[in-house]
């Protein structure tokens, strides 16, 4: 019942101002919920508004191991909320078949660590169903819910974050919320999206994350990131439960070092909001990406590569990844494995204080007042090195012509890309200008 759900809420500090504003914009009536209660509310609304929607998985009829489906069987009946055998491949296969008939399947995999027996069904059947039928058939009504991430005592079989395995599969959408209000809106959007969705729920937040959640039916658009806080010095990107860690690290950086961080929640990992991150990095010139999954092959690598391609000339420091280690998830060493607040803080400071080679090797005055710089950018922009530069009558005129060539090339680049290539920025710290 509603009263029993309220009794198991664990009160924590109130929601942040951005979330309160978001909730106010979505609905005037709000109720304090934790994350699993918000997930429960989203499924209840989905089942009320869609008579074909069914919820099934291991122990879901009893409320589920994390109580996310509590009360749903009593409200909607045994034929719409039911248990399955302990067989993830069978759960996925049934979900695909049900969704292929144009119905809505909400399947729960009890732990994300055990989604791998269903991997073939998800990536080779569900993800490709529309493509291989030439858009004649689809399983757009299919959503896989599964708890993921560290919880403090889960060990190597109950702590993994497998999001990157699914982000490289065309045909799937991958979502991970950071809070109750986000979870409800994103889950409703996932259930109603015309594509199969893997919805990962950070289980450490089920009871610890509490905030005011709009009572009504609302959706948060998939594929659109949320700028949680604006900043000028460093862009910090994360998703799911890691946002709480990153938020604390950003606070620490501002209080101790005066570093202004722009914090972005991707919300959806596939498709991810490249434009929002690109816009931020073009402003700050620095990027930190953090997640619990191992660093090698983690989704942070995709973000770093894409932003390097699109923002190379704006970057003022190497992109930093703060992630889990390339080991099985440890039990007693979990606190050393996870990317905690201090690790993220150190990465922010490292990026903010990074100096390029041009900044470390300042320009020196050459003969006759001519400037000579050690960096390759200025060597290209200024002509040959001083040791090889022609002397005598006409030398300054030739250097002037070279700078005209550089200016023309800069204008062409700006016209073609819409971005400014400014070699003078490399030597700004040395007082160099063109």
């Amino acid at each position: 019942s509603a009263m029993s759900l309220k009794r198991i809420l664990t009160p924590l500090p109130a929601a942040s101002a951005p979330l309160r504003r978001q909730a106010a914009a979505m609905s005037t009536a709000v109720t304090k919920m934790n994350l699993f209660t918000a997930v429960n509310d989203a499924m209840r609304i989905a089942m009320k508004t869609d008579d074909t929607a069914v919820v099934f998985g291991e122990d879901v009829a009893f409320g589920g191991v994390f109580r996310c489906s509590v009360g749903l069987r009593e409200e909607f009946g045994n034929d719409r909320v039911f248990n399955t055998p302990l067989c993830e491949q069978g759960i996925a296969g049934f979900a695909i078949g049900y969704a292929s008939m144009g119905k809505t399947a909400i399947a729960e995999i009890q732990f994300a660590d055990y989604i791998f027996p269903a991997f073939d069904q998800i990536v080779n059947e569900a993800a490709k169903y529309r493509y291989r039928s030439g858009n004649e058939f689809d399983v757009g009504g299919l959503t896989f819910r599964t708890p993921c991430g560290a919880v403090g005592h889960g060990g190597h079989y109950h702590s993994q974050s497998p999001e990157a395995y699914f982000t490289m599969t065309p045909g799937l959408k991958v979502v991970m919320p950071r809070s109750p209000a986000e979870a409800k809106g994103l889950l409703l959007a996932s259930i109603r999206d015309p594509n199969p969705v893997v919805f990962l729920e950070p289980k450490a937040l089920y009871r610890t994350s509490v905030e005011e959640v709009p009572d009504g039916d609302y959706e948060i658009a998939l594929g659109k990131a949320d700028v949680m806080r604006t900043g000028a010095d460093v862009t910090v990107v994360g998703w799911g439960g890691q946002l709480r860690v990153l938020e604390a690290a950003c606070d620490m950086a501002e209080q101790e070092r005066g570093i202004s961080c722009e914090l972005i929640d991707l919300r959806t990992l596939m498709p991810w909001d490249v434009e929002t991150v690109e816009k931020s990095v073009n402003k700050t010139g620095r990027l930190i990406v953090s997640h619990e999954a191992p660093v090698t092959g983690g989704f942070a690598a995709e973000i770093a590569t894409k932003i390097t391609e699109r923002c190379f000339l704006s970057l003022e420091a190497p992109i930093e990844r703060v992630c889990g280690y390339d080991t099985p998830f440890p039990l007693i060493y979990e606190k050393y494995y996870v990317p905690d607040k201090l690790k993220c803080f150190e990465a922010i400071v490292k990026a903010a204080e990074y100096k390029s080679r041009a900044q470390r090797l300042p320009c020196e005055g050459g003969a006759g007042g001519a400037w000579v710089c050690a960096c390759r950018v200025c060597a290209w922009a200024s002509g040959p090195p001083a040791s090889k530069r022609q002397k005598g009558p006409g030398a300054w005129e030739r250097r002037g012509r070279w700078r005209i060539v550089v200016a023309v090339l800069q204008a062409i680049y700006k016209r073609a890309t819409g971005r400014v290539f400014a070699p003078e920025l490399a030597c700004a710290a040395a007082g160099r200008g063109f």
Side-chain angles (χ1 to χ4, degrees):
S1 68
M3 289 301 295
S4 63
L5 289 178
K6 289 181 179 178
R7 279 196 295 269
I8 57 178
L9 293 178
T10 304
L12 280 181
S16 63
L19 283 177
R20 288 197 297 271
R21 289 194 297 269
Q22 182 184 44
M26 290 184 289
S27 173
T28 54
V30 295
T31 300
K32 184 171 285 190
M33 299 182 186
N34 58 19
L35 195 137
F36 88 77
T37 311
V39 167
N40 180 281
D41 194 34
M43 289 192 289
R44 176 175 284 103
I45 290 173
M47 297 185 77
K48 282 183 177 179
T49 56
D50 182 357
D51 291 337
T52 73
V54 296
V55 175
F56 53 93
E58 298 165 6
D59 301 323
V60 299
F62 310 137
V65 67
F66 293 107
R67 317 307 294 162
C68 290
S69 56
V70 67
L72 296 182
R73 182 181 62 171
E74 290 75 12
E75 183 172 350
F76 297 101
N78 293 327
D79 57 339
R80 296 187 64 192
V81 182
F82 50 88
N83 292 330
T84 66
L86 304 184
C87 177
E88 287 77 14
Q89 187 175 17
I91 294 170
F94 175 78
I96 292 167
Y98 187 77
S100 71
M101 303 304 294
K103 302 180 186 299
T104 301
I106 307 170
E108 179 183 299
I109 305 296
Q110 197 168 81
F111 286 90
D113 311 63
Y114 298 116
I115 203 169
F116 300 115
F119 197 75
D120 176 64
Q121 288 288 322
I122 297 171
V123 304
N124 277 335
E125 302 298 337
K128 298 173 175 62
Y129 213 90
R130 189 193 305 273
Y131 175 79
R132 69 176 185 149
S133 70
N135 204 30
E136 187 175 353
F137 310 108
D138 67 78
V139 290
L142 172 57
T143 302
F144 290 103
R145 290 182 44 254
T146 186
C148 68
V151 72
H153 52 266
H156 56 289
Y157 282 145
H158 295 83
S159 305
Q160 297 176 77
S161 297
E163 62 269 22
Y165 288 102
F166 298 103
T167 56
M168 64 177 296
T169 305
L172 290 179
K173 292 191 176 183
V174 183
V175 181
M176 191 186 298
R178 72 173 186 266
S179 69
E182 293 279 321
K184 180 178 176 180
L186 288 170
L187 181 54
L188 281 168
S190 299
I191 292 170
R192 294 162 178 170
D193 192 89
N195 300 280
V197 178
V198 177
F199 191 87
L200 297 146
E201 300 164 6
K203 56 180 173 288
L205 302 185
Y206 274 140
R207 288 172 172 79
T208 60
S209 180
V210 180
E211 67 181 3
E212 293 178 341
V213 178
D215 291 337
D217 183 346
Y218 68 93
E219 299 178 18
I220 297 176
L222 303 186
K224 182 62 180 174
D226 179 33
V227 180
M228 296 174 60
R229 62 195 291 175
T230 58
D233 299 327
V234 181
T235 299
V236 182
V237 174
W239 51 89
Q242 192 62 15
L243 266 305
R244 281 199 159 195
V245 176
L246 291 173
E247 197 164 18
C250 291
D251 290 338
M252 188 176 180
E254 186 166 12
Q255 293 166 7
E256 297 192 9
R257 298 298 182 94
I259 300 171
S260 173
C261 297
E262 182 148 296
L263 181 59
I264 299 175
D265 176 11
L266 281 189
R267 289 173 166 166
T268 307
L269 301 179
M270 184 53 61
W272 67 286
D273 189 353
V274 184
E275 289 74 19
T276 295
V277 179
E278 178 184 8
K279 180 180 178 181
S280 177
V281 173
N282 279 331
K283 176 178 67 174
T284 65
R286 298 170 175 85
L287 174 63
I288 309 294
V289 189
S290 181
H291 57 63
E292 284 185 8
V295 61
T296 300
F299 196 66
E302 170 62 24
I303 297 172
T305 301
K306 182 64 70 175
I307 294 303
T308 300
E309 291 173 357
R310 302 178 68 148
C311 304
F312 181 73
L313 297 175
S314 298
L315 288 172
E316 298 180 19
I319 296 174
E320 296 284 337
R321 292 179 293 162
V322 189
C323 309
Y325 297 124
D326 291 332
T327 69
F329 198 101
L331 178 59
I332 60 173
Y333 298 116
E334 178 176 314
K335 65 180 181 180
Y336 304 110
Y337 176 92
V338 296
D340 59 13
K341 177 180 72 173
L342 183 59
K343 291 179 185 177
C344 295
F345 166 75
E346 290 173 343
I348 292 170
V349 172
K350 180 180 177 182
E353 297 181 352
Y354 179 84
K355 294 185 182 299
S356 68
R357 184 170 182 265
Q359 292 168 324
R360 294 194 303 270
L361 300 174
C363 298
E364 299 174 354
W371 285 97
V372 182
C373 180
C375 75
R376 294 181 180 179
V377 174
C378 284
W380 175 82
S382 304
S387 59
K388 299 181 180 180
R389 195 172 292 150
Q390 297 182 15
K391 304 293 192 296
W396 281 103
E397 288 76 6
R398 283 190 289 275
R399 288 204 65 198
R401 288 196 295 271
W402 178 257
R403 294 194 179 195
I404 293 173
V405 171
V406 172
V408 171
L409 290 174
Q410 287 176 315
I412 293 172
Y413 180 86
K414 183 177 180 181
R415 188 178 184 86
T417 66
R419 298 194 294 270
V420 176
F421 174 59
E424 65 272 16
L425 295 180
C427 291
R432 173 70 182 276
F434 286 86

